[in-house]
């Protein structure tokens, strides 16, 4: 489902989604703060469209494809929020916010190829439309654009971007390889989430502090917040993969499960299957009927029915409730990391942001 909201006006919608509306910010000072975030997001959107335009006709279409399909703009929003600890929406803050979103966008093109995802942001995934090679190269082109943009921000930003890129790739690599024989699968998995998602969210929050000239003492709290909220965000994603409402999530239910990707509910099921017969029976059925074996996942009516049943059973199982509780714990720890920040609208908004991450349904 393509969003019908013009990009430049999306700022307001995204900010209100994150709970930055009038109900939260009752005083006029706080409403002024929410307006600054909206204004910043609108600037980011205009710049994003400009930054992903290409002279090549095909790249111009494929590059803007997922940007225009939607997205929550979580990373730009965090950069803008933490920037209010300093000089606010400086030109560099807006550019840094764009860097984080374009980097994220680039990674989605690659991720959907690796995950063989059919749908992204409610539209067919890029490789479903143009094939694997074009999707991968579009991700590369977007990463090139993010690199050009970050170069304008100077050495500190280049270094941060390079370190973050390495963690994104290592997170994805470790996810692909799975845990080593001597590694606890759940610990390994949380490490993967911190690398593939926490790192870029943390970098966005850090860039907001750096490029608004806010006190350096605020960097560590917002980086820790970003890392932890990134893990919480991905754990909720695991639950969203089991959602019965694809029209709400913009994703096909059970995409991760069908591709054999470890998610926390599945890892808990494996752990519990050792001592719990019911968990063992469900796991055996999922392994037999859903998880890919040698061949790529089948799309027959029988395979689809097995997947739908497994998704429903896993959703109702205790392991999904425990995953939700774990996501809440990571979000609570993220908020605790903000203790050194001054009380005020930034801390309040980040706290509300953490709540909206665990409450999200898409
Ligand atoms: C989505 O995870 C994937 C990521 C958050 C990061 C993927 C990282 C890379 C592909 C490497 C970096 C590459 C570039 C070009 C920057 P998910 O599959 O769990 O989430 P989903 O359900 O949204 O697909
Ligand atoms: Mg994926």
């Amino acid at each position: 489902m393509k969003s019908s909201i013009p990009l430049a006006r999306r700022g307001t919608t995204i900010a209100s989604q994150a709970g930055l509306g009038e109900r939260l910010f009752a005083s006029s000072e706080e409403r002024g703060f929410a307006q600054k975030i909206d204004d910043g997001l609108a600037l980011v959107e205009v710049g994003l469209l400009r930054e992903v335009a290409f002279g090549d006709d095909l790249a111009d279409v494929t590059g803007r494809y997922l940007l225009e399909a939607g997205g929550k703009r979580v990373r730009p929003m965090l950069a803008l929020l933490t920037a209010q600890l300093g000089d606010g929406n400086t030109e560099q803050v807006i550019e840094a916010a764009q860097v984080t979103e374009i980097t994220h966008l680039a990674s989605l093109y690659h991720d959907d190829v690796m995950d063989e995802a059919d749908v992204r942001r409610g539209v067919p995934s890029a490789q479903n439309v143009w094939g694997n090679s074009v999707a991968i190269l579009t991700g590369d082109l977007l990463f090139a654009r993010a690199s050009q943009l970050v170069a304008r921000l100077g050495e500190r930003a280049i270094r941060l971007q390079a370190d973050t890129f390495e963690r994104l790739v290592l997170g994805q690599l470790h996810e692909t390889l799975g845990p080593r024989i001597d590694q606890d699968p759940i610990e390994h998995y949380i490490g993967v989430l911190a690398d593939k998602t926490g790192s870029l969210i943390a970098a966005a929050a850090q860039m907001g502090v750096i490029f608004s000239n806010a006190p350096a003492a605020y960097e560590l709290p917002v980086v820790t917040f970003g890392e932890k909220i990134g893990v919480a965000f991905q754990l909720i994603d695991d639950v969203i993969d089991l959602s019965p409402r694809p029209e709400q999530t913009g994703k096909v239910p059970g995409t991760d499960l069908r591709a054999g990707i470890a998610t926390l509910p599945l890892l808990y099921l494996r752990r519990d299957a050792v001592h719990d017969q019911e968990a063992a029976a469900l796991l055996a059925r999922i392994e037999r009927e859903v998880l890919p074996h040698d061949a790529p996942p089948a799309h027959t009516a029988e395979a689809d029915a097995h997947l739908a049943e497994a998704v429903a059973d896993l959703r109702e199982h205790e392991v999904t409730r425990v995953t939700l509780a774990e996501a809440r714990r990571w979000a609570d720890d993220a908020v605790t990391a903000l203790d050194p920040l001054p009380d005020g609208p930034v801390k309040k908004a980040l706290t509300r942001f953490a709540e909206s991450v665990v409450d999200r349904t898409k």
Side-chain angles (χ1 to χ4, degrees), residues 111-112 115 120:
D111 180 67
D112 284 344
D115 288 356
R120 167 71 68 182

Side-chain angles (χ1 to χ4, degrees), residues 108 111-112 114-115 117 120 172 175 196 237 251 255-256 261:
L108 297 183
D111 180 67
D112 284 344
M114 288 183 246
D115 288 356
R120 167 71 68 182
Q172 196 78 348
E175 178 178 87
K196 77 171 189 175
D237 222 43
K251 292 176 179 175
T255 296
D256 289 343
I261 295 167

Side-chain angles (χ1 to χ4, degrees), residues 21-361:
E22 292 196 357
R23 255 182 327 137
L24 177 65
F25 293 116
S27 73
S28 60
E29 188 206 355
E30 287 173 336
R31 279 200 295 277
F33 176 86
Q35 188 60 50
K36 279 186 207 156
I37 305 299
D38 281 348
D39 293 347
L41 282 169
L43 288 173
V44 168
E45 287 301 323
V46 172
L48 280 174
L49 270 183
R50 191 182 54 239
E51 296 301 332
V52 305
F54 289 92
D56 178 273
D57 286 348
L58 180 65
D60 195 44
V61 174
T62 61
R64 68 179 66 228
Y65 178 66
L66 287 183
L67 177 72
E68 291 184 335
K72 295 177 278 296
R73 307 297 188 261
V74 164
R75 294 150 190 83
M77 166 114 59
L78 269 182
L80 292 168
L81 284 175
T82 60
Q84 312 309 314
L85 292 163
D87 298 336
N89 304 347
T90 65
E91 200 177 313
Q92 288 198 320
V93 165
I94 301 297
E95 284 184 348
Q98 287 160 356
V99 166
T100 62
E101 188 61 22
I102 297 171
T103 305
H104 172 58
L105 203 58
S107 77
L108 297 183
Y109 284 78
H110 288 191
D111 180 67
D112 284 344
V113 172
M114 288 183 246
D115 288 356
E116 299 179 29
D118 288 329
V119 175
R120 167 71 68 182
R121 296 182 168 174
V123 296
S125 57
Q127 85 275 3
N128 252 1
V129 182
W130 292 284
N132 283 354
S133 296
V134 171
I136 291 168
L137 292 166
T138 301
D140 292 341
L141 279 171
L142 290 173
F143 192 68
R145 283 293 163 89
S147 307
Q148 289 162 5
L149 195 50
V150 84
R152 287 188 226 153
L153 294 170
E155 198 179 327
R156 180 107 198 261
I158 295 170
R159 180 78 215 189
L160 180 53
Q161 171 77 348
D163 291 346
T164 306
F165 187 35
E166 180 172 325
R167 285 190 64 196
L168 285 179
V169 175
L170 283 177
Q172 196 78 348
L173 180 69
H174 293 153
E175 178 178 87
T176 306
L177 296 177
R180 289 189 316 264
I181 196 87
D182 60 338
Q183 245 178 339
D184 173 62
I186 293 174
E187 257 175 50
H188 165 268
Y189 182 61
I190 297 293
V192 164
L193 302 189
D195 283 342
K196 77 171 189 175
T197 302
S199 62
L200 186 54
I201 294 184
Q206 188 174 5
M207 285 193 190
V209 170
I210 294 172
F211 293 112
S212 67
N213 309 304
Y218 297 157
E219 279 184 44
L220 184 59
V222 305
V223 165
T224 311
F225 174 86
E227 289 267 347
K228 289 183 184 291
I229 210 63
V231 173
F233 189 91
Q234 280 296 137
L235 293 180
I236 294 296
D237 222 43
D238 288 354
V239 176
I240 288 174
D241 190 55
L242 304 174
S243 166
R245 280 180 285 279
E247 70 288 351
Q248 188 177 60
T249 65
K251 292 176 179 175
V252 177
T255 296
D256 289 343
L257 202 57
R258 191 168 60 93
I261 295 167
T263 59
L264 199 57
L266 188 64
L267 291 174
Y268 280 148
L269 196 68
R270 285 203 177 115
R271 184 194 63 186
D272 294 353
V274 176
H275 55 80
D276 174 340
Q277 276 189 354
E278 191 223 324
L282 177 57
L283 179 64
R285 181 151 57 79
I286 291 174
E287 284 180 338
R288 193 175 59 245
E289 296 176 351
V290 178
L291 296 187
H293 297 282
D294 290 334
H299 269 296
T300 61
E302 192 192 17
D304 288 350
H306 283 153
L307 178 64
E309 208 180 323
V311 164
D313 289 349
L314 205 50
R315 181 171 63 239
E316 297 308 322
H317 199 278
E318 179 64 15
V319 289
T320 299
R321 267 187 294 284
V322 180
T323 299
L324 268 173
E326 190 62 4
R328 290 211 174 89
R329 195 178 66 77
W330 279 91
D332 288 347
D333 288 352
V335 171
T336 303
L338 300 175
D339 280 350
L341 297 191
D343 287 334
V346 175
K347 199 190 234 180
K348 198 168 175 178
L350 290 173
T351 304
R352 179 71 189 94
F353 179 86
E355 285 161 11
S356 72
V357 162
V358 282
D359 289 343
R360 79 191 177 98
T361 51

